[in-house]
Amino acid sequence: AQRVTQPEKLLSVFKGAPVELKCNYSYSGSPELFWYVQYSRQRLQLLLRHISRESIKGFTADLNKGETSFHLKKPFAQEEDSAMYYCAVTTSYGKLTFGQGTILTVHP
Amino acid sequence: DVKVTQSSRYLVKRTGEKVFLECVQDMDHENMFWYRQDPGLGLRLIYFSYDVKMKEKGDIPEGYSVSREKKERFSLILESASTNQTSMYLCASSQGQGARSNQPQHFGDGTRLSIL
């Protein structure tokens, strides 16, 4: 069965520091991976997906099939990046399996 | 822009009541989903539907049922509410391509349900 693990429940960094949110997955097929973000009092929204290989709000994520990882990175964190981040893998019919989530806090 | 609307932001019900949570999307999406969101557990799939009148169990369907009579509307039903169903409930929709669907999901604002 598919599984997504985000080992850090909480992550704190200072503004301008690099940030990396870890995500590991197990899935038998060809995975489609996503990062979703939920800012305070806002709805959950797509941040990026691996297939598009885009950089959104300065964030990037590379799919490493050998390590089965999809870590989210940003070289210089901003206070407005403070949010809950979820890694997810899609299976059949577009169903998503989510990780437990990581709360990122960026201090001024 | 896709709009997924959940009928209530906050709801308080009593143990044993039958509870209906409604969700409507305006983008003609085939797929619709119900999740519950709990701290430390992430989002867990309760039920999903890939077409009108079609429904499939997710990972935690016990105590819940769903209804999809129209394409734009997906209802979650708690048959007899219990305190362990106190949670945040999120509805989502996505474009469908059958079993190969892999499009991003669009979420509603959520319904915070408290069962007393």
Side-chain angles (χ1 to χ4, degrees), chain B residues 90-106:
Chain B
L90 297 181
C91 175
S93 71
S94 70
Q95 271 187 313
Q97 298 155 18
R100 293 185 177 181
S101 295
N102 63 0
Q103 295 302 305
Q105 292 184 16
H106 300 265

mmCIF file of all heavy atoms in Angstrom, chain B residues 90-106:
data_model
loop_
_atom_site.group_PDB
_atom_site.id
_atom_site.type_symbol
_atom_site.label_atom_id
_atom_site.label_comp_id
_atom_site.label_asym_id
_atom_site.label_seq_id
_atom_site.Cartn_x
_atom_site.Cartn_y
_atom_site.Cartn_z
ATOM 1 N N LEU B 90 -12.796 18.026 5.024
ATOM 2 C CA LEU B 90 -12.458 18.737 3.798
ATOM 3 C C LEU B 90 -13.032 18.011 2.592
ATOM 4 O O LEU B 90 -12.884 16.798 2.470
ATOM 5 C CB LEU B 90 -10.941 18.847 3.633
ATOM 6 C CG LEU B 90 -10.172 19.628 4.691
ATOM 7 C CD1 LEU B 90 -8.687 19.654 4.351
ATOM 8 C CD2 LEU B 90 -10.693 21.044 4.802
ATOM 9 N N CYS B 91 -13.639 18.780 1.720
ATOM 10 C CA CYS B 91 -14.129 18.275 0.446
ATOM 11 C C CYS B 91 -13.164 18.734 -0.645
ATOM 12 O O CYS B 91 -12.575 19.815 -0.550
ATOM 13 C CB CYS B 91 -15.521 18.809 0.185
ATOM 14 S SG CYS B 91 -16.215 18.371 -1.425
ATOM 15 N N ALA B 92 -13.002 17.927 -1.682
ATOM 16 C CA ALA B 92 -12.121 18.297 -2.795
ATOM 17 C C ALA B 92 -12.693 17.756 -4.101
ATOM 18 O O ALA B 92 -13.503 16.818 -4.103
ATOM 19 C CB ALA B 92 -10.711 17.754 -2.575
ATOM 20 N N SER B 93 -12.257 18.351 -5.192
ATOM 21 C CA SER B 93 -12.653 17.844 -6.510
ATOM 22 C C SER B 93 -11.459 17.907 -7.451
ATOM 23 O O SER B 93 -10.511 18.673 -7.224
ATOM 24 C CB SER B 93 -13.823 18.654 -7.089
ATOM 25 O OG SER B 93 -13.407 19.952 -7.486
ATOM 26 N N SER B 94 -11.511 17.092 -8.503
ATOM 27 C CA SER B 94 -10.457 17.129 -9.519
ATOM 28 C C SER B 94 -11.024 16.641 -10.841
ATOM 29 O O SER B 94 -12.044 15.942 -10.885
ATOM 30 C CB SER B 94 -9.258 16.268 -9.115
ATOM 31 O OG SER B 94 -9.578 14.892 -9.152
ATOM 32 N N GLN B 95 -10.320 17.058 -11.914
ATOM 33 C CA GLN B 95 -10.695 16.546 -13.232
ATOM 34 C C GLN B 95 -10.481 15.050 -13.266
ATOM 35 O O GLN B 95 -9.498 14.536 -12.706
ATOM 36 C CB GLN B 95 -9.808 17.194 -14.305
ATOM 37 C CG GLN B 95 -10.349 18.470 -14.857
ATOM 38 C CD GLN B 95 -9.505 18.959 -16.026
ATOM 39 O OE1 GLN B 95 -8.287 18.988 -15.935
ATOM 40 N NE2 GLN B 95 -10.155 19.348 -17.088
ATOM 41 N N GLY B 96 -11.369 14.357 -13.971
ATOM 42 C CA GLY B 96 -11.275 12.906 -13.997
ATOM 43 C C GLY B 96 -10.846 12.367 -15.329
ATOM 44 O O GLY B 96 -11.235 12.886 -16.367
ATOM 45 N N GLN B 97 -10.029 11.352 -15.281
ATOM 46 C CA GLN B 97 -9.670 10.607 -16.482
ATOM 47 C C GLN B 97 -9.763 9.128 -16.160
ATOM 48 O O GLN B 97 -8.924 8.336 -16.564
ATOM 49 C CB GLN B 97 -8.238 10.955 -16.900
ATOM 50 C CG GLN B 97 -8.061 12.414 -17.249
ATOM 51 C CD GLN B 97 -6.632 12.886 -17.082
ATOM 52 O OE1 GLN B 97 -5.708 12.086 -17.016
ATOM 53 N NE2 GLN B 97 -6.453 14.186 -16.987
ATOM 54 N N GLY B 98 -10.785 8.766 -15.391
ATOM 55 C CA GLY B 98 -10.948 7.389 -14.963
ATOM 56 C C GLY B 98 -9.874 6.986 -13.983
ATOM 57 O O GLY B 98 -9.390 7.799 -13.187
ATOM 58 N N ALA B 99 -9.463 5.733 -14.083
ATOM 59 C CA ALA B 99 -8.507 5.203 -13.119
ATOM 60 C C ALA B 99 -7.142 5.865 -13.243
ATOM 61 O O ALA B 99 -6.342 5.813 -12.314
ATOM 62 C CB ALA B 99 -8.373 3.699 -13.298
ATOM 63 N N ARG B 100 -6.868 6.516 -14.353
ATOM 64 C CA ARG B 100 -5.568 7.154 -14.553
ATOM 65 C C ARG B 100 -5.542 8.619 -14.133
ATOM 66 O O ARG B 100 -4.576 9.327 -14.392
ATOM 67 C CB ARG B 100 -5.154 7.065 -16.012
ATOM 68 C CG ARG B 100 -4.861 5.659 -16.470
ATOM 69 C CD ARG B 100 -4.334 5.666 -17.883
ATOM 70 N NE ARG B 100 -3.971 4.333 -18.325
ATOM 71 C CZ ARG B 100 -3.465 4.063 -19.520
ATOM 72 N NH1 ARG B 100 -3.276 5.024 -20.391
ATOM 73 N NH2 ARG B 100 -3.155 2.824 -19.845
ATOM 74 N N SER B 101 -6.573 9.075 -13.486
ATOM 75 C CA SER B 101 -6.620 10.477 -13.055
ATOM 76 C C SER B 101 -5.406 10.826 -12.217
ATOM 77 O O SER B 101 -5.038 10.077 -11.305
ATOM 78 C CB SER B 101 -7.874 10.725 -12.221
ATOM 79 O OG SER B 101 -9.024 10.568 -12.986
ATOM 80 N N ASN B 102 -4.782 11.952 -12.523
ATOM 81 C CA ASN B 102 -3.678 12.408 -11.683
ATOM 82 C C ASN B 102 -3.646 13.926 -11.581
ATOM 83 O O ASN B 102 -2.609 14.512 -11.309
ATOM 84 C CB ASN B 102 -2.341 11.893 -12.226
ATOM 85 C CG ASN B 102 -2.025 12.425 -13.614
ATOM 86 O OD1 ASN B 102 -2.811 13.182 -14.186
ATOM 87 N ND2 ASN B 102 -0.895 12.050 -14.152
ATOM 88 N N GLN B 103 -4.791 14.551 -11.804
ATOM 89 C CA GLN B 103 -4.851 16.011 -11.745
ATOM 90 C C GLN B 103 -4.908 16.492 -10.300
ATOM 91 O O GLN B 103 -5.401 15.785 -9.414
ATOM 92 C CB GLN B 103 -6.073 16.515 -12.516
ATOM 93 C CG GLN B 103 -6.010 16.225 -14.006
ATOM 94 C CD GLN B 103 -4.772 16.831 -14.635
ATOM 95 O OE1 GLN B 103 -4.513 18.032 -14.520
ATOM 96 N NE2 GLN B 103 -3.982 15.998 -15.295
ATOM 97 N N PRO B 104 -4.407 17.700 -10.042
ATOM 98 C CA PRO B 104 -4.437 18.233 -8.680
ATOM 99 C C PRO B 104 -5.860 18.356 -8.158
ATOM 100 O O PRO B 104 -6.798 18.578 -8.931
ATOM 101 C CB PRO B 104 -3.811 19.621 -8.827
ATOM 102 C CG PRO B 104 -3.062 19.583 -10.101
ATOM 103 C CD PRO B 104 -3.778 18.625 -10.999
ATOM 104 N N GLN B 105 -5.991 18.229 -6.874
ATOM 105 C CA GLN B 105 -7.294 18.405 -6.244
ATOM 106 C C GLN B 105 -7.455 19.842 -5.770
ATOM 107 O O GLN B 105 -6.492 20.493 -5.368
ATOM 108 C CB GLN B 105 -7.447 17.441 -5.072
ATOM 109 C CG GLN B 105 -7.530 15.998 -5.521
ATOM 110 C CD GLN B 105 -7.786 15.041 -4.382
ATOM 111 O OE1 GLN B 105 -8.187 15.446 -3.292
ATOM 112 N NE2 GLN B 105 -7.578 13.760 -4.640
ATOM 113 N N HIS B 106 -8.696 20.309 -5.814
ATOM 114 C CA HIS B 106 -9.053 21.642 -5.334
ATOM 115 C C HIS B 106 -9.934 21.469 -4.104
ATOM 116 O O HIS B 106 -10.910 20.715 -4.151
ATOM 117 C CB HIS B 106 -9.787 22.420 -6.427
ATOM 118 C CG HIS B 106 -8.963 22.588 -7.669
ATOM 119 N ND1 HIS B 106 -8.201 23.709 -7.914
ATOM 120 C CD2 HIS B 106 -8.765 21.763 -8.716
ATOM 121 C CE1 HIS B 106 -7.585 23.572 -9.062
ATOM 122 N NE2 HIS B 106 -7.894 22.402 -9.580
#
